[in-house]
Amino acid sequence: MSESGTEDAGMLQVRIWRSGEDGGGFREYRVPRQASQTVLDVVTHVQRKLDPALAYRYACRVGMCGSCAMTVNGVSRWTCRTHVSKVAADGRLEIAPLANLPVVKDLVADMREFFDKWARAQGQFAGATTRHDAFAQVSPVSEARQAVDAGIECIGCGVCYSSCDVVAWNPDYLGPAALNRAWTLHQDERDAAQAERLRAVAGDAGCHACHTHMSCTERCPKHISPTAGIAGLKRAVAMAALKGEL
Amino acid sequence: MSARAQVLMWVGQRASAALLAICVFVHLATMIYAVRGGLTAAEILARLQGHAGWLAFYVVFVLAVAVHVPIGLRAVLGEWLGWRNAARDWVLAGFALLLLAAGLRAAFGLYGAIRGAA
């Protein structure tokens, strides 16, 4: 495949990870360059026009569902909102599945462990009232409510989990997304499972394993800072431990 | 090890780090000051021996090291070598005692309480 010349003008050189019985490897494709083209558009072109056996995952195409995250030129990204022009200045793309997760096939990562950790971090809201009680009055300007606002827009794409060094080193680590979820619930004044949640996120596999590398914060497509939430959890859990409430 | 113990170790490492920041600064600054001032080793020893303030300073320094280093190594061993069982914690507890014993021996040696230790 030549690297220059009229033959390649307007074409992208794309390497896509394909699973195989030998462990898998990258396969090369040539994809026509389009205006306003996203990385997901490129993958879709490959699957529809060049290689129907390619497996990948997407749903909404507008940055809401968190299904289409992949590793693009070595960086985890949501592919539906990542323009080719932003990441492939030299016309080359290397697309792989998310890191730190098992691969089902090709670009499809197995998200089970990722979401199981949300449950392990006590990521479920635990209400203490019934439908017969009045609505809770939560001040929108309270510090706690604003902390919830800062972390609540997570779409569960797994970009932070895939980018986290601590997840790579410690497979038990709950990871940035699950801890961010726990943090938003910790700040929810209606939640009635605070002590259990602090216990769930404490210690070696929890918030205290975070090294504050901030890759999650750097790469979160929703501009959430899981690092900030994890730091808040570290303080809350430490206070509970010192008071003997853990 | 319980979650509470793990969290308290985390607190201990942060607290000891804060102490170490001060101790290392004082230690280095004093050392540079003394050497630039032209003091010989014998003159420095003469100032340290029998000085309760410096003894207290170095005892705190040694305590902070004995807390901080094993907890940090615990994370390194877990993350880099995958060594996460109870044996790791026992080995590191032994290492903490070794650091403590060696450090206190040096501190008391400087003070002059242990002949030939420093």
Side-chain angles (χ1 to χ4, degrees):
Chain A
M1 202 177 294
S2 65
E3 291 186 17
S4 60
T6 51
E7 185 192 352
D8 281 345
M11 297 297 277
L12 287 165
Q13 314 289 332
V14 184
R15 283 158 52 82
I16 295 183
W17 178 265
R18 302 302 309 274
S19 301
E21 288 178 3
D22 55 348
F26 284 98
R27 200 176 293 171
E28 299 207 11
Y29 304 91
R30 283 157 43 81
V31 176
R33 188 78 175 78
Q34 308 276 349
S36 302
Q37 190 175 23
T38 66
V39 174
L40 184 64
D41 292 337
V42 170
V43 176
T44 299
H45 178 91
V46 169
Q47 199 243 24
R48 296 203 176 157
K49 308 277 189 193
L50 306 175
D51 196 345
L54 173 66
Y56 69 113
R57 189 192 278 133
Y58 75 96
C60 74
R61 296 175 296 152
V62 291
M64 287 168 63
C65 73
S67 306
C68 68
M70 301 170 199
T71 305
V72 182
N73 286 353
V75 175
S76 307
R77 295 179 182 279
W78 54 354
T79 55
C80 72
R81 300 290 300 273
T82 300
H83 280 252
V84 170
S85 57
K86 183 181 165 191
V87 291
D90 62 352
R92 289 172 186 275
L93 280 176
E94 186 178 274
I95 305 170
L98 287 177
N100 295 338
L101 289 163
V103 175
V104 178
K105 181 176 182 286
D106 301 337
L107 299 174
V108 180
D110 184 344
M111 305 295 281
R112 267 179 300 186
E113 180 71 356
F114 174 72
F115 286 114
D116 284 350
K117 285 180 175 176
W118 286 46
R120 233 179 286 160
Q122 202 82 31
Q124 316 85 343
F125 173 73
T129 56
T130 70
R131 69 184 67 184
H132 305 297
D133 295 302
F135 286 113
Q137 302 280 322
V138 180
S139 166
V141 295
S142 71
E143 204 175 313
R145 186 66 185 83
Q146 303 228 327
V148 175
D149 276 349
I152 202 65
E153 296 293 342
C154 174
I155 56 175
C157 64
V159 161
C160 58
Y161 191 86
S162 170
S163 304
C164 177
D165 292 325
V166 182
V167 172
W169 296 330
N170 180 0
D172 292 333
Y173 177 50
L174 292 170
L179 291 168
N180 176 70
R181 174 64 183 155
W183 169 247
T184 58
L185 288 166
H186 175 70
Q187 294 294 334
D188 190 331
E189 61 186 72
R190 302 165 305 158
D191 188 276
Q194 296 294 345
E196 293 92 321
R197 186 169 299 107
L198 289 185
R199 211 168 295 130
V201 301
D204 291 348
C207 58
H208 297 96
C210 171
H211 286 289
T212 321
H213 289 169
M214 299 185 78
S215 303
C216 54
T217 300
E218 170 80 20
R219 295 188 183 165
C220 174
K222 300 294 288 184
H223 304 297
I224 294 170
S225 174
T227 315
I230 293 169
L233 283 177
K234 284 176 178 174
R235 287 192 294 274
V237 174
M239 289 308 291
L242 290 171
K243 289 180 188 165
E245 295 169 355
L246 202 62
Chain B
M1 186 180 290
S2 71
R4 180 161 188 257
Q6 290 168 10
V7 176
L8 290 178
M9 282 203 303
W10 180 86
V11 172
Q13 207 199 16
R14 263 57 186 176
S16 58
L19 270 178
L20 281 173
I22 299 167
C23 291
V24 169
F25 177 78
V26 171
H27 178 71
L28 289 178
T30 311
M31 214 168 64
I32 291 166
Y33 172 77
V35 169
R36 286 177 64 88
L39 289 179
T40 64
E43 285 166 334
I44 293 170
L45 273 179
R47 282 164 170 75
L48 290 175
Q49 279 174 348
H51 195 299
W54 281 114
L55 176 67
F57 172 79
Y58 279 110
V59 166
V60 169
F61 198 157
V62 166
L63 284 172
V65 168
V67 169
H68 190 83
V69 173
I71 299 173
L73 278 178
R74 185 173 179 274
V76 172
L77 292 174
E79 289 174 358
W80 290 17
L81 304 181
W83 190 17
R84 296 193 175 88
N85 58 18
R88 170 188 62 167
D89 295 335
W90 285 110
V91 167
L92 288 171
F95 184 59
L97 288 176
L98 187 70
L99 284 176
L100 190 65
L104 288 179
R105 183 169 180 270
F108 278 95
L110 278 175
Y111 182 67
I114 305 172
R115 193 173 293 272

